[in-house]
Amino acid sequence: MTKQALRVARMFDGERLVDGGVLVLLADGRIADVHRGRAEAPAGWPLREEPDGTLLPGLVDAHAHLCADAGPDALGRLAERPESDLDGVVEASLRTHLAAGVTTVRDLGDRRGAVLRWRGRRVRDDLPTVVASGAPLTSVGGHCWSLGGEVSGVDGVRESVRRRAAARRGPGEGDGQRRGVHPRHRHHPAAVHRPGADRHRDPGP
């Protein structure tokens, strides 16, 4: 087990600021214990001190496109980017997130499952956790159509969602039991992105 003690001036725990000194013990990169004040680090726990530091939980980016490089027209250029470049772009994006304190990234649209494939290979364990959606579902010729998620009609949307749900369901997943969900509510979470939503309102009969 890898041990590390970190002493900072203050800590924000997600609800309140804890001032006056904090000692945090990390075991294999996870918080094992927290001591307020000037507690001494236990024997065998290497100590890192940040006298003016503030510790806070990792941030979450709830909407990112890791395949895009953040340059001008990044999503537009993504369709032409070589497949061999995508892993490097994803990892560069995640390093940028990590440097800003982001430890979980929600990717809401890659190119033809590229982020899902990168995550599935588990080649890196020193980058933020990725929650990925795959290629975004869109109408034919619609927003981000070139990323590979075009569907047509209600039946097309339903079928595409069924295929994705079946492909990602592992043992014990998708049956609602792991999250204590009532069997009647066994739905898969979804994210909906509607640019210019006022232009897509149901015009009615």
Side-chain angles (χ1 to χ4, degrees):
M1 179 174 64
T2 302
K3 299 178 180 180
Q4 176 74 57
L6 175 63
R7 192 194 310 280
V8 294
R10 65 197 67 82
M11 175 183 71
F12 178 66
D13 66 4
E15 296 181 352
R16 60 192 178 278
L17 183 67
V18 178
D19 214 338
V22 178
L23 179 72
V24 179
L25 302 181
L26 304 170
D28 290 335
R30 296 181 177 273
I31 296 175
D33 207 351
V34 177
H35 300 276
R36 299 180 64 170
R38 296 293 301 177
E40 294 298 322
W45 293 73
L47 177 63
R48 173 179 173 179
E49 298 203 58
E50 298 290 344
D52 298 318
T54 301
L55 191 66
L56 69 158
L59 303 176
V60 178
D61 185 342
H63 188 150
H65 296 283
L66 293 172
C67 280
D69 60 12
D73 191 30
L75 286 176
R77 290 185 292 103
L78 180 53
E80 306 302 324
R81 184 178 288 277
E83 186 76 19
S84 57
D85 288 358
L86 295 182
D87 279 5
V89 174
V90 169
E91 292 182 10
S93 297
L94 289 172
R95 285 194 296 272
T96 300
H97 276 86
L98 192 60
V102 175
T103 56
T104 300
V105 177
R106 193 169 181 234
D107 185 88
L108 291 186
D110 63 19
R111 193 181 79 184
R112 303 183 187 279
V115 172
L116 289 170
R117 291 192 296 276
W118 176 87
R119 188 184 64 178
R121 289 193 290 273
R122 300 182 180 180
V123 294
R124 300 289 297 267
D125 60 3
D126 58 343
L127 293 173
T129 298
V130 176
V131 179
S133 66
L137 300 185
T138 187
S139 57
V140 176
H143 179 61
C144 290
W145 67 270
S146 61
L147 302 186
E150 285 183 307
V151 291
S152 179
V154 173
D155 290 342
V157 172
R158 288 174 174 165
E159 178 58 27
S160 183
V161 170
R162 289 191 190 102
R163 286 200 307 269
R164 291 176 183 221
R168 295 174 198 173
R169 184 180 300 161
E173 294 186 82
D175 57 7
Q177 300 306 309
R178 293 181 68 181
R179 299 181 183 176
V181 178
H182 192 280
R184 289 179 298 181
H185 302 150
R186 293 174 183 171
H187 302 303
H188 293 272
V192 178
H193 176 37
R194 296 181 63 195
D198 58 335
R199 293 179 295 164
H200 299 282
R201 291 175 180 163
D202 185 347

